[in-house]
Amino acid sequence: MKIKVINPNTTASITQKIAEAAIAVANSGTEIIACNPDKGPVSIEGHYDEALSVVGILEEIKKGEAAGVDGYVIACFGDPGLLAARELAKGPVLGIAEAAMHAASLIATGFSIVTTLSRTRVIAQHLVANYGMTHFCRKIRAIDLPVLELEDENSNARKTILAECRQALIEDGAGAIVLGCGGMADLSAQLSQELGVPVIDGVSVAVKFVEALVSLGLNTSKKGDLAYPIAKPYTGMLYAFAFENRE
Amino acid sequence: MKIKVINPNTTASITQKIAEAAIAVANSGTEIIACNPDKGPVSIEGHYDEALSVVGILEEIKKGEAAGVDGYVIACFGDPGLLAARELAKGPVLGIAEAAMHAASLIATGFSIVTTLSRTRVIAQHLVANYGMTHFCRKIRAIDLPVLELEDENSNARKTILAECRQALIEDGAGAIVLGCGGMADLSAQLSQELGVPVIDGVSVAVKFVEALVSLGLNTSKKGDLAYPIAKPYTGMLYAFAFENRE
Amino acid sequence: MKIKVINPNTTASITQKIAEAAIAVANSGTEIIACNPDKGPVSIEGHYDEALSVVGILEEIKKGEAAGVDGYVIACFGDPGLLAARELAKGPVLGIAEAAMHAASLIATGFSIVTTLSRTRVIAQHLVANYGMTHFCRKIRAIDLPVLELEDENSNARKTILAECRQALIEDGAGAIVLGCGGMADLSAQLSQELGVPVIDGVSVAVKFVEALVSLGLNTSKKGDLAYPIAKPYTGMLYAFAFENRE
Amino acid sequence: MKIKVINPNTTASITQKIAEAAIAVANSGTEIIACNPDKGPVSIEGHYDEALSVVGILEEIKKGEAAGVDGYVIACFGDPGLLAARELAKGPVLGIAEAAMHAASLIATGFSIVTTLSRTRVIAQHLVANYGMTHFCRKIRAIDLPVLELEDENSNARKTILAECRQALIEDGAGAIVLGCGGMADLSAQLSQELGVPVIDGVSVAVKFVEALVSLGLNTSKKGDLAYPIAKPYTGMLYAFAFENRE
Amino acid sequence: MKIKVINPNTTASITQKIAEAAIAVANSGTEIIACNPDKGPVSIEGHYDEALSVVGILEEIKKGEAAGVDGYVIACFGDPGLLAARELAKGPVLGIAEAAMHAASLIATGFSIVTTLSRTRVIAQHLVANYGMTHFCRKIRAIDLPVLELEDENSNARKTILAECRQALIEDGAGAIVLGCGGMADLSAQLSQELGVPVIDGVSVAVKFVEALVSLGLNTSKKGDLAYPIAKPYTGMLYAFAFENRE
Amino acid sequence: MKIKVINPNTTASITQKIAEAAIAVANSGTEIIACNPDKGPVSIEGHYDEALSVVGILEEIKKGEAAGVDGYVIACFGDPGLLAARELAKGPVLGIAEAAMHAASLIATGFSIVTTLSRTRVIAQHLVANYGMTHFCRKIRAIDLPVLELEDENSNARKTILAECRQALIEDGAGAIVLGCGGMADLSAQLSQELGVPVIDGVSVAVKFVEALVSLGLNTSKKGDLAYPIAKPYTGMLYAFAFENRE
């Protein structure tokens, strides 16, 4: 089984970290194809970055379909372009926020999210509502550090994240922590050990859930709004995105 | 006051129709700048088309900011890229679905939406939830005709829309109709007259509400998630979308 | 176009303040008719005051209809009698809480309300739910000063409001402030300047939105529960409120 | 114990019917004081009638307080003026829609409401939401007969109600029926027998629940928004409604 | 009328306390039959204890039906087995959490719950959602003392409860307190006096509401999911629970 | 990895069918332990059956813990005793309704449930709300055949299910079907092929999701309400259920 894990930003070190997290948990028969688009923002820290990252994501999905990929993970906590990607893909497509929240709701009656910037908390809040997680999500917390600071080995980011998680356990009544950034994919094991509760990285959960769905033959429904896009011309710089009839 | 009305698809005849609807209702002191991107889908009929239309929309907003535009209307009923556009703009940015639903909730206790394709009803359903309109929206109906058929003078589209509106009034308990497509912008007056209830075209409402907000000095909040994008590199084909610090 | 702005309490100085706010923003072709009932409470500070203020409001609407008024604003933050008023009016009728919250949701993803008394926060809370603003309203705050103290030039009310707004921005994650009292109609501009975020006065927004709706021909739906009242006898002191068949 | 049952309209025959329903179920130690205001609409069939009926209701509550009444029932299915009445009263005040829906949710997992006019379904719908009954209320149905037709012995009203109840049981998955009009207070026993499910009249339930609350010493909370009204002048025709400080 | 009040745990002193609370408020014509199962946990402090207490509860209901009991109270704040019990019973069955919350919502616009253990707050939270009390419940507070400590006369439990109630009134905007444990049934009167707001014990409310429903002939609906259980074999230790056809 | 799949009823043929469905999808390194309790109802068709099945489920979980089981599936569509089971287990515990709905929401924007009896639709409806699936679940449909009829090879059950699924696709706007009974575990593949949309059997999904969680080290949170039960005496027939301190 081939699973393509798409880091929606264009920073290779994050792609590398996400790839490692994915490979570490994949079944032996699963081939992980990690990538990032060659176009778009170096990090995603708002609605604008997110909206533009979708171009590259969809291009990677399109390439994936041509290459016979069985399922996809979109590895940014805002789950950019999720439904558009599902239109394009035959197999399942999961976002890491979606996967992490679903998993959290299966092992705890309440979770808190710890994300990077305060300004992206609204994005997480909208996802919580869209995914039906309102009753499960106790609080969305931000450490107010830029995404790329997670890549700096000299940064205090890990300490700050640990401290914020501890606050969540004390103040929010949370039984689990959801890490709110693809760039935190390497932290869950250690944090879980230190905190004594499940700390959930969406990348690894999404890979396992895609494996599960693919092995069950549960592909994206092609009835209704997730059917393949309607064939039509695209103009200008985006002409190559015109979808051609399939099947 | 300058208001830019962006038709997110690349079909000029729809842009023309939308421009006429906007100009017809604008105050004498308002300059309407109607446009469509030079890149992207010729019509928007799903999540995929919508996601890719955002590239062109954001480009038009960026140009608008450079040209001193005071407010914007995104004239596609899925309100694509709305929050991303708000990050980029100083003034208010309204989607036509948003504007139409808000207006409907001010003059009726329940409304039904009549849109084009069944597959886009899910998009409308998500907007209804996001805008807090769940208690107001009675039903989302589709006539199952492609968007571009509205441009065909020989089509039965108008008759079909009228019939569907009538059903909504009889079956749904709706007091008003929201037209669920930018391409229906020329139909509201006549339908309203025939049906005896308010039939709401989002283009005209959005123009008037943007005028209202601009005249009150109510611009998009630049505190929080709608603050200007964080400056950072963009790579590849999208390099020109890198936001440069402002103010 | 004639817009009648009804201050539901009987304190002339508040009517005057509201009139000034309305006139300041109205289009040149709009005639603002500001008034207050000649019967009812001198201020509205609870469910009881609100319920009784409706008598005077409906009387003013009735007079307005006879005088050819095109639209109405009910200028008390509890929006008393809103749906009853809509039954009586041909044109649109907006409450200032309703108008302010709708406007806030168009320019920010979250707002906080700053009102006068703690006991009226429940009224605002109910409106937030009724208008579908649950996801947008971050918090309802009270300064715990009586409404009429806003009329006292020697009062600390302005300072207290400013301080409460600052707290909202720091603690609530709000991107905009909604002023929760008609008697604060003169404060929004200065507060907005001091705080650097949109501070929204419902009176001015309601006037502009009514102008917008009237100019679009969007009147109150007369199909369903907002149809003109059913003609029937009224007895006793209220006999003159009997509605006579219309149209 | 004294319980005052207020018919908010001014039609004596309905007051009589409601009085009989109340007396039939009251404990031997309970004195039922049934009344209707001497001012206001002869029937309540919309937001407008309802809003104006509140004047008379509050007057009756005020007289009741002076007479040492222990609790109140507002016997119109729209529960007009409920929170305002609670401000004024020391003891509990229940609306019949509220009482009926609460009772229904205790003996069935789903109920349907059968009311008189289609236009009042929106009023019932708002109450369902306000009382937290959204998950319990399966459907709101109307027989489209005027309230006063229930008073006409030659009317087909009873047959029509029975037929509508049957439809509710077949189509809605309802386990109980809530009668949506005070004027149906005499029908519940017979309908219940014919249909084989609980058919709930709010008047009788409200009387029993008020008895229960009073006997437990559970009065309206005087902390917060239901505290006695703030003393202040009232002007004009309503001067006598000025609340004077109490306790 | 016979009302059976079932203490779901097996601690006789709590049964005694609950019996006294029930008898103290029952009508003279009401026979209170207080009991606890002879099998199950000595206290209920989590989902597990609750789930297993249901065996004993259902056995007591079954015995009650044979003995002609008219209605039931399940006297544990988690309302264990409520819908299962309703299947088995002809008359009404009320949980004390359910009864207390319903009563609170009739006399205050907001209440807080004070329960024993933090870990049971999630149980209360789920009940709040299931009963439609989300808009009424301001906060769920725990004193973090075991249930059985309420039985220890030397404990500080009462003081701790009083202090927590005071905090609720100050911080939560609550107008009433709901006591979140059957073992607090003897505290409501004194707390209410000390706090000056309604403090609601579910046992006494449930008894009065069951009396009310029984006297009105409002039994559990036997149409739909609360119909008598379908007759079928039960195996092993539970063979005696097989339901035999009735009526 | 050991996964215990518990059929909560005591009918061995259903256990066999569920075992086959589980084994068919399990990884090669996964040992499936399928079982049913030796006590309780032969089928689960209501709240009562469900509540009593929990005794056997918890006993099986307890035995599983002693035997080093890594994760559990509760294979009845009502997910009986789910949170109680989680208290008892170290590893993850999933219900089949829960697993199926989560999976459906990952591959379609809307699904319908097809279950056996009308009376159990309310159980499914409550689960939909509890799991946050309100926006995803389009309709809950029943074929009105007893659970055990699915075991009868001569029954028309399969045809009836297929027909109901077809109706769901035509009328509900569903993109996927969730099979609402553990006894339908053998039908999903064929139905999916005939209908051309994902048809989801909760047993197989639950097994794969438990595998995923276990392999990620994501166990049930032992902080908060899902912590191991508090040690205490149990009396009578249930004395053996007393939880003894662990870890």
Side-chain angles (χ1 to χ4, degrees), chain F:
Chain F
M1 175 188 323
K2 289 185 195 175
I3 298 180
K4 190 165 188 174
V5 180
I6 305 168
N7 168 23
N9 68 43
T10 59
T11 296
S13 65
I14 297 184
T15 308
Q16 181 60 24
K17 190 194 295 182
I18 287 170
E20 284 164 15
I23 290 165
V25 302
N27 282 341
S28 58
T30 300
E31 180 189 353
I32 296 293
I33 305 162
C35 70
N36 58 254
D38 61 6
K39 50 184 69 66
V42 297
S43 64
I44 297 179
E45 298 174 317
H47 307 291
Y48 177 81
D49 292 340
E50 203 179 87
L52 285 163
S53 74
V54 176
V55 176
I57 293 168
L58 295 177
E59 196 170 49
E60 293 300 329
I61 302 272
K62 199 177 175 186
K63 291 195 285 188
E65 289 299 286
V69 165
D70 296 290
Y72 302 85
V73 172
I74 300 178
C76 165
F77 200 77
D79 295 353
L82 187 59
L83 296 181
R86 282 186 183 147
E87 276 193 37
L88 213 46
K90 183 180 175 189
V93 184
L94 264 66
I96 63 168
E98 182 186 47
M101 290 192 217
H102 279 272
S105 79
L106 300 174
I107 56 175
T109 53
F111 60 82
S112 286
I113 298 172
V114 174
T115 187
T116 50
L117 296 182
S118 280
R119 76 181 287 165
T120 62
R121 287 195 309 176
V122 169
I123 293 176
Q125 179 196 331
H126 291 175
L127 295 180
V128 164
N130 291 348
Y131 299 153
M133 294 289 158
T134 305
H135 292 309
F136 293 95
C137 182
R138 296 277 178 263
K139 194 162 184 180
I140 303 170
R141 290 166 168 272
I143 54 167
D144 274 316
L145 289 180
V147 168
L148 294 182
E149 184 142 347
L150 298 173
E151 302 308 287
D152 176 359
E153 292 192 356
N154 300 319
S155 158
N156 271 327
R158 283 158 196 254
K159 272 193 195 165
T160 313
I161 292 168
L162 178 61
E164 194 71 30
C165 290
R166 279 202 210 286
Q167 283 309 97
L169 296 182
I170 293 167
E171 296 175 4
D172 308 351
I177 301 290
V178 165
L179 295 177
C181 180
M184 298 177 182
D186 53 339
L187 304 179
S188 64
Q190 196 183 335
L191 286 169
S192 194
Q193 201 168 8
E194 294 193 61
L195 294 164
V197 302
V199 176
I200 300 172
D201 154 51
V203 176
S204 51
V205 175
V207 167
K208 297 310 286 181
F209 279 12
V210 168
E211 277 185 347
L213 295 169
V214 169
S215 78
L216 294 166
L218 289 175
N219 289 316
T220 296
S221 174
K222 289 299 158 189
K223 182 176 181 304
D225 63 304
L226 300 181
Y228 291 118
I230 295 172
K232 69 183 56 169
Y234 269 61
T235 63
M237 186 177 81
L238 296 171
Y239 76 97
F241 283 89
F243 189 80
E244 279 155 54
N245 279 326
R246 177 164 169 179
E247 259 149 280

Side-chain angles (χ1 to χ4, degrees), chain E residues 47-49 87 232 234 241, chain F residues 47-49 87 227 232 241:
Chain E
H47 307 290
Y48 176 81
D49 292 342
E87 276 192 38
K232 69 183 59 169
Y234 270 61
F241 283 89
Chain F
H47 307 291
Y48 177 81
D49 292 340
E87 276 193 37
K232 69 183 56 169
F241 283 89

